[in-house]
Amino acid sequence: MTLMTPPPAPLGIGAPDVARRFTRSAAMADSPVNPSAAFEAWFAGRRARAVFDVRQIEFGNLRGWSFDPETGDLGHDSGRFFRIEGLDVRTDWGWQPRWSQPIINQPEIGILGIVVKEFDGVLHVLLQAKTEPGNIDAVQLSPTVQATRSNYTGAHGGRAIPYLEYFREPGRSRVLVDSLQSEQASWFLHKRNRNLVVEVTEDVELLDGFCWLTVGQLHRLLHREHVVNMDTRTVLSCIPFQAPNGPFRTSTPVGYREALVRSMAPVDATGSAPGALHTDGEVISWLTDTKTRHELVQRTVPLKGLPHWRRTETEIAHETGHYFRIIAVDVRAGDREVASWSQPLLAPVETGRCALLVRPVGGVLHLLLQARTGPGVLDMAELGPTVQCLPGSTADQPAHRQPRFLDVVAAARPDQIRYDRVQSEEGGRFHAAANRYQVIEVGEDFGLEVPPEFRWVTVGQVTGLLRHSHYLNVELRSLLATLHTTW
Amino acid sequence: MTLMTPPPAPLGIGAPDVARRFTRSAAMADSPVNPSAAFEAWFAGRRARAVFDVRQIEFGNLRGWSFDPETGDLGHDSGRFFRIEGLDVRTDWGWQPRWSQPIINQPEIGILGIVVKEFDGVLHVLLQAKTEPGNIDAVQLSPTVQATRSNYTGAHGGRAIPYLEYFREPGRSRVLVDSLQSEQASWFLHKRNRNLVVEVTEDVELLDGFCWLTVGQLHRLLHREHVVNMDTRTVLSCIPFQAPNGPFRTSTPVGYREALVRSMAPVDATGSAPGALHTDGEVISWLTDTKTRHELVQRTVPLKGLPHWRRTETEIAHETGHYFRIIAVDVRAGDREVASWSQPLLAPVETGRCALLVRPVGGVLHLLLQARTGPGVLDMAELGPTVQCLPGSTADQPAHRQPRFLDVVAAARPDQIRYDRVQSEEGGRFHAAANRYQVIEVGEDFGLEVPPEFRWVTVGQVTGLLRHSHYLNVELRSLLATLHTTW
């Protein structure tokens, strides 16, 4: 019954200075505290010296993990961490009315927290060069704290988590961002993490493995692949920015950058954003309507005997070879709270595709969002990118089952492409999981009339929705974080 | 894949005129269109003439419903409507770490929709005198449309639903309120309904069984018991009102009514409400923090062999006699889309207690809300009344397990009680379910320091949160609807 402590106070969520100060940090492409050249040398060193050995093993050689003899579910003997279970999905959404699949069930909410601190008048974010067993390139930049509830309550039996006190002890920080956000609905059942940004004014010791960066430096790193991990990107997506300059002329046509900056105008108290095609209320009502018109029944079932999935000594895979495999790995690490362990991982069989079409409407950039369901989504549907798919698993399907607008994305000319990088998904649960993220600009000749599951929304509107849970899926949040690198 | 129609447009959600016009309607204690005397005669007639015969039967005599031979779950042979299943709950919230119970699983989102229309410049709501098998006094005032997805897609094989077109056909109405809201988390697994208010300007035929009322008339009826059903109350709670008059002097102390009116000031774009102890962002952050600190694992399990629950030929009941029973009834009705059917109902064994402590803080009324979990809650926790309990089932518990502030509620003097009525819960799934709803004013000597799971919040703040899902539970929404009757 007892809550240990109240949340950190005072809070700065929604305070007018926050967006302005983060925008100032985004304008700083380098930092006197941690010049980019020094960061590069340090980060290359972290990667070169990473003592991290991950090898696939047979399920039978997992230590502490076993298949439940009755259900075939794969879980930890302590009953904690996560379990691989079966999920039966029935829905009238999409062309597959029913299917079963393995899914990761981890019914606890973790913390993804970034500490920020002002140096020379500029906010810096504190990131960690962190290894995860499933990481591409082993080391990626993660939030200051990236901890499951099992982690921070000590179920791992590991070392204390550095900097956790700034998120747990009242008075140590000012909360600037705080919201529960979902993770991959294809692979996780009802998973959310708490996305936090806290500002600290006291002196902060810089521990080994951590670095300070301006948001501008981080934005540059987002133009490299597999450097900024998914957890950092989702927290970053929740940070509000203010139009970096303006006001602009009202004449049209305006350039891409000007249209993007205008799109960042925040939603006002009546739910309207300047120049937006729809009000906030209309967008929420449309999403609600979409949820109401569809059916989604999720039921956990035994992993044993899941139709169309085959378990061998080394993997659980779909008989078509599509989607993903469940594998087991043995991990030896030099820089983690526990030096050696084994665990299951979910290994996608292909790189996914996440593309966001953007279009100026009356000089204000609009993002074409899709209301999407997913096997593990908690509240029927969330807003996702225009296109989100596994191209290989739909390639053999007829034309009417191809994702909408995939043809537009595939045919994009180089001058339309504002962002195009492959980025990693979470490396603690997924093995080498990645999506190709693209922001593609279409012209004013691209029709505003779209199918009913799509809507045109401004950046200011999605940023407002991110103060709440259940609106933006994690793939769209990654794209929003990268969109802010294209000012 | 195909969505049938886009949502009705244009939308008026958040439009500045909406709160003003509803407030004007609330000030009209009578209506020229439907004078209260005429309404009373009509409503008494509906109750007198209600052809509605409900009698308890043995489970074996249910038509179309049966226990699954393997799981013991009670479901309809068509696989639709709802099922009574078992639920296993594990949580570190409250003093019971684990329990099992029957729960209603109805994985579809229904519509609770009220049509409003202006007569003589005043908005009127269109309500239905509706019978439900579990209703106290058989007939209560329900929303214009109160339909499960099975209803409105025709799974009942019943008649067309009157007025549904105003909620389903674009261009027939202007949407004023639209949000998904949860229902009783003690009895329903993850249940939500879509709360809608739409304004119609075209002529609307007044069908038999329906009536137009001003909000003021409805507010007066809320001071009677079992007249306004739960579904009407929850939709009503989502309607924004504007301070009915003012500005007020800033001197303190102010009276109750003045403090309440000030409390209704809406939240501004930065998430602040005038005079509120906490910003919007702080309230959301506190709720998020509370969710993160706790664990709630919900798992559907077979109803057969549920520990501590006993099934006889006529009921499924807890061995202590507490909580609720599952029973079966046979229904013969004259005014429903299907004239005769049988179904299971959940019958609580006692009247619950829902009390809201309110206190002026600096001349602005604040509501003392509690972050509460529940066996069937979808997203860990929601905001509930200060006290929400079944007194009988905790009466034999030691003092430290008694609900917080129940002693304050029990000791309230008559002059502190702003509202005190027993009102019904939903009669389509529950048999004679009711709670005693109380609004109790405490003075400025009542401490602002409260336990960590409680927060003081203004009316404007909770009204803002009601634009989104997952914030206010249905009991708090009922209290909010009644609070607006105390201006």
Side-chain angles (χ1 to χ4, degrees), chain A residues 178 192 285 294 379 468 471, chain B residues 3 178 192 285 379 468 471:
Chain A
D178 186 1
R192 271 99 41 76
S285 179
H294 286 291
D379 188 8
H468 308 280
Y471 285 117
Chain B
L3 300 179
D178 186 0
R192 270 99 42 75
S285 179
D379 189 7
H468 307 279
Y471 285 116

Side-chain angles (χ1 to χ4, degrees), chain B residues 135-150:
Chain B
N135 269 3
I136 296 169
D137 298 335
V139 179
Q140 297 189 11
L141 290 175
S142 83
T144 320
V145 167
Q146 179 180 325
T148 64
R149 196 166 178 282
S150 304

Side-chain angles (χ1 to χ4, degrees), chain A residues 347-359:
Chain A
V349 300
E350 62 173 316
T351 298
R353 193 145 189 179
C354 299
L356 187 62
L357 296 187
V358 301
R359 196 212 115 142

Side-chain angles (χ1 to χ4, degrees), chain A residues 1 3-7 11 13-14 80 83 85 92 94 105 107-109 111 149 152 168 175 178-180 192 194 267-271 280-282 284-286 288-297 299-300 378-380 452-453 455 467-471, chain B residues 1 3-7 11 13-14 80 83 85 92 94 105 107-109 111 149 152 168 175 178-180 192 194 267-271 280-282 284-286 288-297 299-300 378-380 452-453 455 467-471:
Chain A
M1 191 65 166
L3 300 179
M4 286 170 291
T5 57
L11 283 83
I13 296 168
R80 300 202 69 91
R83 293 169 64 84
E85 305 181 343
D92 57 357
N105 190 351
E108 56 173 20
I109 296 171
I111 287 180
R149 196 166 177 282
Y152 66 71
R168 305 284 290 173
V175 177
D178 186 1
S179 65
L180 280 188
R192 271 99 41 76
R194 185 177 183 186
V267 173
D268 68 19
T270 68
D280 209 20
E282 286 169 338
I284 296 171
S285 179
W286 157 71
T288 300
D289 186 73
T290 307
K291 290 177 184 177
T292 313
R293 286 171 192 274
H294 286 291
E295 195 173 57
L296 172 69
V297 182
R299 189 170 279 270
T300 53
L378 179 58
D379 188 8
M380 289 291 295
E453 65 271 30
R455 275 296 181 282
R467 296 182 58 200
H468 308 280
S469 303
H470 307 292
Y471 285 117
Chain B
M1 190 68 165
L3 300 179
M4 285 171 290
T5 56
L11 283 82
I13 297 167
R80 301 203 68 93
R83 292 167 66 83
E85 305 181 344
D92 57 357
N105 189 350
E108 54 173 22
I109 297 170
I111 286 180
R149 196 166 178 282
Y152 64 72
R168 304 284 289 174
V175 178
D178 186 0
S179 65
L180 281 188
R192 270 99 42 75
R194 184 177 183 185
V267 173
D268 68 19
T270 68
D280 208 20
E282 286 169 339
I284 296 172
S285 179
W286 156 72
T288 300
D289 187 73
T290 307
K291 289 178 184 178
T292 313
R293 285 171 194 274
H294 287 292
E295 195 173 58
L296 173 68
V297 181
R299 188 171 281 269
T300 53
L378 179 58
D379 189 7
M380 290 291 295
E453 65 271 30
R455 276 295 182 281
R467 296 182 58 200
H468 307 279
S469 304
H470 308 290
Y471 285 116

Side-chain angles (χ1 to χ4, degrees), chain B residues 120-191:
Chain B
D120 294 343
V122 176
L123 285 177
H124 282 63
V125 298
L126 182 59
L127 299 184
Q128 182 181 15
K130 189 169 187 180
T131 51
E132 291 282 7
N135 269 3
I136 296 169
D137 298 335
V139 179
Q140 297 189 11
L141 290 175
S142 83
T144 320
V145 167
Q146 179 180 325
T148 64
R149 196 166 178 282
S150 304
N151 277 141
Y152 64 72
T153 58
H156 265 129
R159 294 195 289 264
I161 296 170
Y163 304 111
L164 185 63
E165 63 272 21
Y166 294 116
F167 301 91
R168 304 284 289 174
E169 295 175 13
R172 296 293 294 273
S173 67
R174 178 178 178 233
V175 178
L176 305 184
V177 163
D178 186 0
S179 65
L180 281 188
Q181 298 296 345
S182 64
E183 303 213 339
Q184 288 78 2
S186 299
W187 304 331
F188 274 128
L189 181 64
H190 299 173
K191 178 81 169 75

